[in-house]
Amino acid sequence: MDHFSYRDGLLYCESVPLDEIASLFGTPCYVYSRAAIVQRWNAFERSFSSHEHLLCYAVKANSNLAILNILARLGSGFDIVSVGELERVLVAGGDPQKVVFSGVGKRIDEMRRALEVGIFCFNVESLAELERLDKVAGGMGCRAPVALRVNPDVDAGTHPYIATGLKESKFGISLDEAEGIYLRHTQFPHICFLGLDCHIGSQLTTLAPLTDALDRMLTLYDRLQANGLSLTHLDMGGGLGIRYQHEDPPTPDGYAAAFLQALGDRPLRLIIEPGRAIVGESGVLLTQVEYLKVTPNKSFAVVDAAMNDLIRPALYDAWHNVEPVVSRTDLPATSYDIVGPVCESGDFLASGRDLALIAGDLLAVFAAGAYGFSMSSNYNTRPRAAEILVDKTAIHCVRKRETVADLYAGEVILPYN
Ligand SMILES: *Cc1c(COP(=O)(O)O)cnc(C)c1O
């Protein structure tokens, strides 16, 4: 079922027309569909149901408390990359025993807090981090649960900024080095080695890099097993892509089947960390046209959302579908670049889109639920957008729009001349 659809030329999220949300809360704002999120999470859960597994939603894709709470109620685990994300998960009712902690730069205070609340596993990305964690756990009189994040050296075939599994990348530990560390496990008295982890990149649209990585991980698992080290889980990270334009990513069923087949009868609990694939298509960015600016070379629709609200086009050259909230039949379409008010030429949401527009029209930027709000900033002293969650006919403001005063609340002026 499509949770964003037109009825009589008007765009709805579930049973709510988007122009109503714009008039209640203003623009720009993000609008999410609860049913879409639940449907995607359930699809993953069903696909892996024949094997022991844990879904750990990658919080960085969209960390709004309401969304984390919806997922926590479904029984989801969480993949975090900072203590800030850990606190969000706890406040949203997430179970710390279903939390995995990834990231190359974990600070001592972050390790302590994660040990204190009893997370399920640290995904450790370097020997230096492992040594630090061993000390921190020792100081607290406990053992830290660990999976080494292995860098399987596969090309994920995605944008270079979101490919993380090549040997040149800052992420993870090489297969050889990881094997050496696992075999020296007795040298780390306050570490409990539970599993193996990898994450090769994001927006993957084919299975081959994932199954390549999986084969390499299973080879390592089998070698460790033969050397007497029994690990109990395999975390294959996130990364399943979504459809922004013409991509045709694997379904959760196809994705799960490839993994489960390769696993065979190894007694390994499978963990996956989907982010984008859960929330990406569950949200739109709603924006209003301020001006139409027609020049001899180009026509621009200047809108009230900008790169600070949605940085993906500027950062990754990402393509997002942009459609009017009310479709017009009274005007011919013109090719527009959709740009924001920020003082950067990179401030665009889309280019060369055929649209029939007048100033004041509302536009929806599709597939903006992941890495949209969570990557937004206050550049140009622009308050971050409101976030609205639709549940059937109900409209919930789950994050109010920031005010300008919020933005400088922590700043001070020198107290003398
Ligand atoms: C970003 C990230 C994810 C989620 O990636 P998606 O492409 O959103 O599924 C999962 N695991 C780790 C370690 C990550 O850094």
Side-chain angles (χ1 to χ4, degrees):
M1 184 193 149
D2 204 345
H3 301 92
F4 293 90
S5 58
Y6 285 91
R7 295 184 205 164
D8 298 327
L10 175 60
L11 184 60
Y12 281 69
C13 173
E14 300 193 24
S15 300
V16 175
L18 290 184
D19 58 348
E20 186 181 332
I21 291 179
S23 62
L24 285 171
F25 300 101
T27 53
C29 67
Y30 279 93
V31 182
Y32 310 121
S33 155
R34 178 186 186 177
I37 296 166
V38 170
Q39 185 192 58
R40 283 298 277 181
W41 193 89
N42 283 337
F44 273 95
E45 187 59 23
R46 259 197 318 276
S47 301
F48 285 95
S49 60
S50 66
H51 193 94
E52 199 192 341
H53 70 280
L54 178 64
L55 299 183
C56 291
Y57 167 71
V59 174
K60 74 180 193 287
N62 187 323
S63 51
N64 185 283
L65 291 185
I67 289 179
L68 300 182
N69 175 256
I70 288 169
L71 295 169
R73 287 176 201 228
L74 291 169
S76 188
F78 296 94
D79 168 48
I80 59 165
V81 293
S82 71
V83 74
E85 289 189 349
L86 176 57
E87 301 301 347
R88 281 184 176 276
V89 167
L90 297 173
V91 169
D95 179 355
Q97 289 176 40
K98 292 182 180 173
V99 168
V100 296
F101 192 170
S102 305
V104 296
K106 300 177 193 78
R107 296 187 311 257
I108 289 170
D109 64 293
E110 295 183 302
M111 291 175 169
R112 283 210 184 105
R113 178 68 175 146
L115 286 167
E116 185 182 284
V117 303
I119 66 163
F120 172 65
C121 196
F122 289 85
N123 291 335
V124 169
E125 306 224 13
S126 66
L127 179 58
E129 182 192 333
L130 187 67
E131 289 168 346
R132 175 184 276 187
L133 183 58
D134 188 40
K135 264 205 202 107
V136 170
M140 293 172 66
C142 64
R143 289 177 86 200
V146 163
L148 296 182
R149 173 159 174 190
V150 176
N151 183 330
D153 192 22
V154 298
D155 184 353
T158 186
H159 189 284
Y161 290 4
I162 49 175
T164 55
L166 283 167
K167 61 180 185 299
E168 296 81 7
S169 134
K170 73 173 177 181
F171 297 100
I173 303 172
S174 73
L175 282 161
D176 287 349
E177 190 189 354
E179 181 169 352
I181 296 172
Y182 279 117
L183 294 177
R184 287 186 277 121
H185 61 93
T186 54
Q187 292 177 13
F188 306 95
H190 305 292
I191 299 292
C192 176
F193 287 96
L194 287 187
L196 285 164
D197 169 56
C198 73
H199 169 73
I200 60 169
S202 200
Q203 185 53 14
L204 310 177
T205 51
T206 60
L207 288 173
L210 284 162
T211 52
D212 261 16
L214 181 56
D215 285 344
R216 291 175 192 204
M217 299 296 283
L218 290 175
T219 304
L220 175 56
Y221 167 79
D222 291 342
R223 290 166 65 106
L224 295 173
Q225 183 83 2
N227 277 285
L229 180 66
S230 274
L231 299 172
T232 52
H233 77 257
L234 173 61
D235 182 338
M236 287 301 296
L240 186 61
I242 63 170
R243 187 179 179 110
Y244 288 102
Q245 187 176 14
H246 302 305
E247 300 92 336
D248 189 17
T251 61
D253 271 346
Y255 175 72
F259 280 179
L260 298 185
Q261 190 191 355
L263 265 183
D265 53 11
R266 293 178 185 83
L268 271 174
R269 182 190 200 197
L270 189 59
I271 295 183
I272 59 160
E273 306 167 351
R276 189 190 312 269
I278 303 283
V279 291
E281 293 180 72
S282 309
V284 300
L285 172 60
L286 198 58
T287 183
Q288 186 166 35
V289 177
E290 292 285 344
Y291 301 101
L292 294 179
K293 181 170 174 177
V294 178
T295 75
N297 301 310
K298 256 193 174 173
S299 296
F300 297 96
V302 183
V303 299
D304 63 2
M307 65 187 291
N308 74 295
D309 299 299
L310 179 66
I311 203 175
R312 298 190 68 263
L315 187 60
Y316 309 123
D317 209 16
W319 193 97
H320 284 264
N321 190 23
V322 179
E323 297 289 348
V325 168
V326 181
S327 40
R328 284 188 176 282
T329 48
D330 53 341
L331 275 180
T334 303
S335 175
Y336 289 107
D337 282 12
I338 318 283
V339 301
V342 163
C343 304
E344 299 277 342
S345 295
D347 180 28
F348 65 95
L349 297 176
S351 43
R353 302 301 169 83
D354 291 332
L355 294 165
L357 292 178
I358 63 169
D361 281 358
L362 294 168
L363 295 173
V365 183
F366 282 80
Y371 307 104
F373 186 90
S374 66
M375 293 181 91
S376 66
S377 77
N378 295 122
Y379 189 40
N380 281 208
T381 303
R382 289 172 51 84
R384 279 179 296 172
E387 292 178 285
I388 311 300
L389 186 80
V390 170
D391 184 10
K392 303 189 182 78
T393 55
I395 306 171
H396 301 277
C397 178
V398 293
R399 192 181 203 276
K400 62 180 190 216
R401 183 181 310 285
E402 285 175 335
T403 65
V404 170
D406 290 337
L407 303 195
Y408 52 70
E411 300 177 26
V412 294
I413 291 169
L414 295 190
Y416 51 80
N417 285 322

